[in-house]
């Protein structure tokens, strides 16, 4: 399972660890994006991507 957190949720790295522990046998991949390329949340994520500045509006993405 892949779970994506954007910059709005960048300060909840403890949740990342809880998700990994709860689904040990099934695997969880934490994907994180942020507008700051040096955001500390990138250290806790399995995949990290830089968001372009100036994004507006909702973005809906569901991936399994």
């Amino acid at each position: 399972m892949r779970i994506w957190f954007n910059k709005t949720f960048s300060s909840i790295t403890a949740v990342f660890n809880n998700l990994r522990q709860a689904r040990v046998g099934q695997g969880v991949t934490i994907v994180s994006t942020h507008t700051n390329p040096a955001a500390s949340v990138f250290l806790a994520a399995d995949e990290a991507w830089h968001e372009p500045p100036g994004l507006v509006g909702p973005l809906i993405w569901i991936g399994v």
Side-chain angles (χ1 to χ4, degrees), residues 4-15:
W4 170 46
F5 293 90
N6 66 7
K7 69 178 181 178
T8 305
F9 301 100
S10 64
S11 62
I12 58 170
T13 56
V15 173

Side-chain angles (χ1 to χ4, degrees), residues 23-53:
R23 297 183 55 92
V24 172
Q26 298 171 353
V28 172
T29 301
I30 304 298
V31 180
S32 181
T33 61
H34 203 286
T35 54
N36 178 355
S40 61
V41 69
F42 291 159
L43 299 173
D46 298 310
E47 294 182 26
W49 300 91
H50 181 243
E51 291 179 14

